[in-house]
Amino acid sequence: MSKSAKVLITRKIPINAIQQIQEVAETEIWPEQLPPPREYLEEKIRDCAGIVSLLTDSIDEKLMACAKDLRVISNFAVGVNNIDIQAATARGIAVGNTPGVLTQATADIAVSLLLAVARRLHESALDAASGNWKTWEPLGWLGQELEGKTVGIVGMGRIGFATAKRLHFGWDMPIIYHSRSTNAEAEQKLQARKVDMDTLLQTSDFISIHTDLNPQTRGMFTIKEFEKMKPSAILINTSRGPVLNQTDLAKALRLGLLFAAGLDVTDPEPLPPSHELYSLKNCLIVPHIASATFATRNEMARICAENLIAGISNKPLRFTVNPECIRKQN
Ligand code: DGY
């Protein structure tokens, strides 16, 4: 690899990664807060050997077709639903992601959201600040306790496991889960029990979604699923917004089909402030911050740079979602 390899980084990311990449490649960084426009990407990708993309950049077939010698797409995320993986593989472009390093931070946010909505923190804090705190109220701001409640994990991968572990050992919660495959570690260490979706919906006091977004999970939660949940149940989503139907969720929360929801992810992102979900007291939305800690973002950046540098050097990536991809030599 020569230093003449060109790389595009679609946003400012932690400096450690930028420096690593600059050492080996001619690097351009999109400097704005908002994602680069499509035309910019189409023009810049033309001569790039590698791109560092964010989950807000749509890297589709048409964009890849603009590139003359793109070898690697290094996504600054573990989720890769913003990239057409099939198209990348067909073109011999390696796709990298950052698994593992954001597991603990994401599980922390899942638990934080659960605690916040179970005990109505956001709603009561707003009431305090706006003068609606008139006195100590015996019947005011009543919430749900966590101890011993059953938690249902949808998608028992790394993050699902880390969330379940916190809840099992922290609050003695029995764990049930619904997942493509059996998680032996969860069954052994947390006594987790794999169940069908209906059992999970009907039995869980709290449901936490950790699945990736794919054709099977898109729209997985609709009014039909909310109707099966306990009226006291809480739903947490830190995976991807389109896993649930937000119109149906708003209706279910309004009707009291479930107690509350905590969302780190929405569809679209950002969710416009006029959206009905913001007006519901039993819904707390935070702006996709699950991995937003100094340590995690630095680690994501480090892996991202490592993947990028391997890819432009035609070497195997440390973390890739298409290991079957065979590099086409020009
Ligand atoms: C990811 O990496 O996919 C996360 O959603 C970022 O927080």
Side-chain angles (χ1 to χ4, degrees):
M1 179 205 19
S2 71
K3 174 110 191 228
S4 63
K6 286 194 179 151
V7 164
L8 174 66
I9 307 180
T10 65
R11 222 81 87 260
K12 284 187 222 154
I13 61 172
I15 191 71
N16 59 336
I18 293 180
Q19 283 167 346
Q20 257 176 289
I21 295 170
Q22 277 172 336
E23 271 170 33
V24 296
E26 198 183 311
T27 309
E28 176 151 347
I29 306 162
W30 173 252
E32 307 292 331
Q33 182 194 17
L34 296 182
R38 179 72 185 194
E39 312 79 68
Y40 171 90
L41 287 179
E42 285 181 3
E43 190 206 314
K44 292 294 169 188
I45 208 166
R46 207 164 299 235
D47 298 318
C48 276
I51 178 169
V52 172
S53 52
L54 267 61
L55 50 85
T56 43
D57 303 313
S58 171
I59 313 289
D60 55 22
E61 158 99 83
K62 193 165 159 263
L63 185 66
M64 292 178 214
C66 299
K68 288 192 285 210
D69 184 29
L70 188 65
R71 299 169 211 167
V72 57
I73 301 163
S74 181
N75 216 34
F76 187 78
V78 62
V80 287
N81 56 295
N82 58 308
I83 302 169
D84 185 336
I85 304 296
Q86 232 181 328
T89 308
R91 289 175 176 275
I93 303 170
V95 178
N97 68 339
T98 65
V101 292
L102 43 80
T103 301
Q104 308 308 330
T106 306
D108 286 348
I109 284 290
V111 174
S112 305
L113 282 170
L114 175 58
L115 273 166
V117 297
R119 298 302 307 274
R120 302 168 74 159
L121 292 188
H122 179 63
E123 178 192 342
S124 58
L126 286 176
D127 279 343
S130 65
N132 278 335
W133 178 16
K134 311 279 187 206
T135 180
W136 186 87
E137 293 195 36
L139 298 178
W141 303 292
L142 304 185
Q144 309 287 349
E145 298 201 4
L146 270 63
E147 184 73 16
K149 297 283 174 64
T150 296
V151 66
I153 301 283
V154 178
M156 187 60 98
R158 279 179 296 261
I159 302 172
F161 179 86
T163 303
K165 184 174 134 193
R166 282 158 173 71
L167 298 174
H168 181 68
F169 291 116
W171 289 272
D172 225 0
M173 293 191 197
I175 310 291
I176 55 178
Y177 73 101
H178 182 75
S179 230
R180 261 188 311 233
S181 36
T182 298
N183 187 323
E185 192 185 5
E187 300 203 350
Q188 202 196 0
K189 294 193 177 149
L190 314 177
Q191 286 82 53
R193 206 161 44 85
K194 191 167 182 230
V195 295
D196 59 48
M197 195 60 184
D198 273 1
T199 307
L200 183 132
L201 292 167
Q202 286 156 5
T203 319
S204 300
D205 295 301
F206 311 132
I207 295 177
S208 194
I209 309 176
H210 300 284
T211 179
D212 58 352
L213 180 64
N214 59 52
Q216 283 72 44
T217 60
R218 185 177 284 274
M220 192 181 195
F221 281 80
T222 65
I223 198 76
K224 278 210 314 268
E225 282 66 38
F226 300 132
E227 275 165 354
K228 292 178 186 161
M229 289 170 68
K230 297 181 183 180
S232 55
I234 289 173
L235 181 70
I236 302 300
N237 188 13
T238 53
S239 64
R240 286 292 182 264
V243 168
L244 56 84
N245 180 313
Q246 288 172 173
T247 309
D248 286 4
L249 176 63
K251 184 172 173 196
L253 287 167
R254 229 184 314 109
L255 296 175
L257 299 183
L258 65 157
F259 182 74
L263 310 177
D264 179 50
V265 287
T266 59
D267 180 26
E269 291 185 2
L271 190 68
S274 58
H275 196 281
E276 186 191 357
L277 281 173
Y278 288 113
S279 68
L280 299 171
K281 286 183 168 182
N282 52 353
C283 186
L284 174 59
I285 299 172
V286 294
H288 204 149
I289 58 166
S291 65
T293 69
F294 296 105
T296 291
R297 290 283 165 84
N298 280 339
E299 275 302 283
M300 287 168 73
R302 193 179 57 75
I303 291 177
C304 204
E306 221 180 284
N307 281 339
L308 187 283
I309 292 166
I312 60 175
S313 325
N314 291 323
K315 293 194 181 129
L317 309 198
R318 168 127 179 256
F319 294 107
T320 179
V321 293
N322 63 346
E324 71 279 20
C325 147
I326 296 166
R327 170 94 193 102
K328 297 201 175 87
Q329 302 294 339
N330 283 328

